[in-house]
Amino acid sequence: MSFQGYFQNLSLLLPAEQKTNRLTEMNRLLSLLKQFFGYTSFRPLQADIIKHILEKKDALVLMPTGGGKSICFQLPAIYLPGVTIVVSPLIALMKDQVEGLVNNGIPAASLNSMMPEAEQQRVKQLARQGRLKLIYISPERVKAEADWFLPSLNVSLIAIDEAHCVSHWGHDFRPEYTQLAILKERFPNVPVVALTATADKVTRTDIIKQLNLHEPGIFISSFDRPNLSLTVEKGLNKKEKIQAIVRFIRRHPKQSGIVYCQKRSDTEMLSDELSMYNIDAIPYHAGLPHDVREQAQNDFISDRVNVICATVAFGMGIDKSNVRWVIHYNMPGSIENYYQEIGRAGRDGAPADTLLFYSVGDLILLRQFVEESGQKEINSDKLEWMRRYCEADVCRRRVLLSYFGEESKEDCGNCDVCKNPPVRFDGSILVQKALSGMIRTGEQVGMNMLIDILRGSSRAEIISKGYNMLKTYGAGRDLPFKVWKEYIYQMIQLGYIEINPMSNYTLKSTESGRNVLFGKDTAQLARYRERVVESSQSSSGYKATPIRPKQSVPVDESLLDALMQLRKQLAEREHKLAYHIFSDDSLYEMVAHKPVTLAEFGMIRGVGDIKLERYGRIFVSLIRFVLKMPKLPQ
């Protein structure tokens, strides 16, 4: 790592009292926010959290991924004298955040066991000399450095990132996090801020206890991520899911996205299948050799590959802001996991899409995991919430927010249910046919067998078991298999049918279902809607050099394409990540406002002083070129 150029702006990083007494503290903070991060205002709760920290008080911060957690400790780190210690769980995450800070002109470094010894000593020396504002360190390293190195520093703030890892109740518990209370022992007068994107009440209490926080302020931001669209597809088989994924990716050309899978084998299968459609995708799972995993991750975050098919082992170690979509090939086991995984899309605040595939097979497999887990009761509750979300026929965002104890009085308008609300009809006869068929088999059949009976299938197993002699055999032959499958899913969701895991997952009638069967009640079902099948033909990529704005397309589309090409070229030339040059959100704002002077460019969200000086002329020149304006004056 080279530290050349880190310190040219240290004169700007002096304590506030040495700068000017005429500005208020908040104005000084806002000035630093614009100068180094390119933002002119705080997001909700950021200002309150920062003021709390500056009063030297501990804090627990719950803020969704992409909600601006990092600013809550990075801005105080710049403002305060001394250095801020940031505990972060993964080397890749530390590296990404440090590179982003350095690119903004903020002196920062990481300290981890993968660095050469000479490099570690150089980082320590710079920290002792007061030439770093933030130092990132792994939880494993904290104990080793807590007696000698860390106490030698002028520490002004301690930040514990991904703080849910400290709790046994957290969804990503890490034993090494439990030793972090030593920081409060060594630095009793230094404020500690613990930050996480997801933690229920039990986990929050455990974090405070484990970290020994003293009467912390608890800041819970809205869990709403309105820029994320939410869609669930139910009951698709493997072939249908692959076709849906291909169509989805074709709607997002050149955009980065993640496909999450439960099984390692599915990540490799999917990447192979997608390659058959000329989609360049790579697999990622814990069973791959370390160098293969690292190369896959680097290719993805550097935009050399747009699609990664991964298990949940992937994602926590990246801070890639321009992920535009996330697909779940299988249903996650809890809302927390799902929320964290979809949260990796749209971190820059720009629109992003999510798609989840849900099937009874997923539910059965996850219930088996719950039965074998050490926390059966709590994991069963979590799975039930996840099932409710997938089967919801009301605004999905309201279901999601209610899990985190947040009420929403209005539908979001950005989920599949809101965009295409179901049409109800009296489905009592369909329920009666399904339950009659089940009961006449002695409730010994699963979903597929029941549908075959209702549709009058003549396959050998049905004939051998005598199901073709049942009164309900063929009673539902007027509906296709996929339509029956959708309606039986609804019957399960509405409580007319349940799955019996103790009897090979056969279908069983419930009291509510029998009330419909015997005419004591009616059943309202949502009318089946055929999925719209779009073309999955491949779209051509673009060449990075030279930049050629698209012709015969709207100006905004041509400009965005040109800006993305320029960003990619700069990233490759400077050996940086594209989203460290500018986020997608910043590019979208450039397209919206079309700055043609450096002053106008400096007002774009995400353009700080360093980036204005470094990239302003070249971006403004490109914008003027696409708009067919004269060159920028020298």
Side-chain angles (χ1 to χ4, degrees), residues 312-325:
V312 292
F314 177 81
M316 192 173 178
I318 65 166
D319 196 26
K320 183 175 170 67
S321 68
N322 65 333
V323 175
R324 296 266 65 88
W325 54 266

Side-chain angles (χ1 to χ4, degrees), residues 5-14 19 28-40 71 74-79 99-108 133-134 580-582 602 604-614:
Y6 272 33
F7 317 113
Q8 59 187 355
N9 296 295
L10 277 177
S11 61
L12 301 173
L13 303 176
L14 294 172
K19 292 184 178 180
R28 290 195 292 269
L29 289 167
L30 284 168
S31 177
L32 291 172
L33 183 69
K34 174 58 182 172
Q35 181 178 339
F36 290 101
F37 299 98
Y39 301 115
T40 56
I71 291 288
Q74 290 174 350
L75 192 63
I78 297 171
Y79 183 81
E99 287 179 359
L101 288 165
V102 171
N103 206 45
N104 284 340
I106 302 165
K133 294 305 295 179
L134 297 102
H580 282 169
I581 304 292
F582 286 116
I604 295 296
R605 188 167 54 244
V607 178
D609 290 359
I610 298 297
K611 290 186 177 181
L612 176 61
E613 181 181 346
R614 188 176 295 162

